[in-house]
Amino acid sequence: MLKEILLHSSNNKGRHIHPYEKLMFVLCPVIATNFFENPIPLIINTVVFLILHIYFKTPKSKVIKLLAELIGFYSLSSFIFVIDGNIKAFLITTAKGFANSMALTFLIFTTPMDDFLYFLSKVGFLKEIADIAKTMERFILLLEDELNMMIVSATCRGGFDGFQNKVRSSAKIAALLLVNSLNRWKSIDEAITSRCFSGKIPYTKKEFTLSCKRMIFILMFIVIEVILAIRF
């Protein structure tokens, strides 16, 4: 999934927009609307980011799959409200999760991680954090490939036929993945040490321009949402 996300985000037409603009456009409304229980900002966020998904042609099947996973996480984490009999809180939390997921998936599928890491690397005290994040990204890609191979192998042997087999196969795959990742990390450490790796990762220079018109629109959008949340 991560590899597909990186591929789609790198080739999306929304990549030319400055990452800071998209980050501000996504995070500020998400943070602001989470302080209110008014459904109007949530509906506005959902509609706006749905339109943006369609306009920038994000991969529909991948977006829906990631949305389902995120919303499932929100629903499970807020199910305690249902147990306490507070159905309203459960619905509000799930609605906020859906609206937030729409915004975050837009950011994920239009902005590669490398764009953010490039700007982080330009800040002196954040350079090491960017290098660690880049290294983790590459390592996770290796783990994802190995996980997919294990799942295919277990499926071909009927490892996911029936509930008990699913649980048993999932536990075995998790254990093997942990052991293999530890062994792989030792091999990677030996490989980079033998090549005298300094720990500094070079980043490709990217040219982005902040748009005053887009920034004004983003600020107006945030202000309008906050006003609607307060007054209605």
Side-chain angles (χ1 to χ4, degrees), residues 128-198:
E128 293 185 358
I129 296 177
D131 292 343
I132 293 172
K134 184 62 180 177
T135 305
M136 289 179 63
E137 178 191 2
R138 295 177 178 177
F139 189 62
I140 290 173
L141 288 174
L142 293 175
L143 291 182
E144 185 180 19
D145 288 339
E146 189 165 0
L147 175 61
N148 291 333
M149 291 176 61
M150 289 181 178
I151 293 175
V152 171
S153 178
T155 303
C156 293
R157 293 173 172 80
F160 292 98
D161 296 340
F163 179 75
Q164 291 184 349
N165 286 335
K166 287 181 180 179
V167 174
R168 188 181 298 110
S169 298
S170 299
K172 289 181 179 179
I173 289 174
L176 285 173
L177 190 64
L178 176 61
V179 173
N180 291 347
S181 63
L182 294 175
N183 293 334
R184 187 186 294 274
W185 173 248
K186 293 178 182 178
S187 301
I188 294 175
D189 183 54
E190 292 175 358
I192 60 178
T193 302
S194 63
R195 290 171 174 78
C196 301
F197 178 61
S198 62

Side-chain angles (χ1 to χ4, degrees), residues 22 67 83 95 97 117 119 144 151 174 182 184 191 211 222:
K22 287 180 284 187
L67 274 175
I83 298 175
L117 296 181
F119 286 103
E144 185 180 19
I151 293 175
L182 294 175
R184 187 186 294 274
S211 171
I222 296 170

Side-chain angles (χ1 to χ4, degrees), residues 32-49:
T33 53
N34 278 326
F35 285 100
F36 306 100
E37 295 186 1
N38 193 319
I40 294 178
L42 300 178
I43 296 172
I44 294 174
N45 275 353
T46 302
V47 173
V48 168
F49 284 105

Side-chain angles (χ1 to χ4, degrees), residues 2 6 9-10 15 18-20 22-23 107 111-141 199-206 208:
L2 178 59
L6 294 174
S9 61
S10 299
R15 186 183 181 182
H18 202 292
Y20 286 170
K22 287 180 284 187
L23 189 65
L107 180 65
T111 312
M113 188 182 295
D114 285 349
D115 291 353
F116 290 116
L117 296 181
Y118 167 70
F119 286 103
L120 284 178
S121 66
K122 294 172 66 176
V123 182
F125 67 94
L126 296 177
K127 177 67 168 62
E128 293 185 358
I129 296 177
D131 292 343
I132 293 172
K134 184 62 180 177
T135 305
M136 289 179 63
E137 178 191 2
R138 295 177 178 177
F139 189 62
I140 290 173
L141 288 174
K200 296 181 179 180
I201 299 177
Y203 297 89
T204 304
K205 186 178 180 180
K206 299 176 179 64
F208 292 101

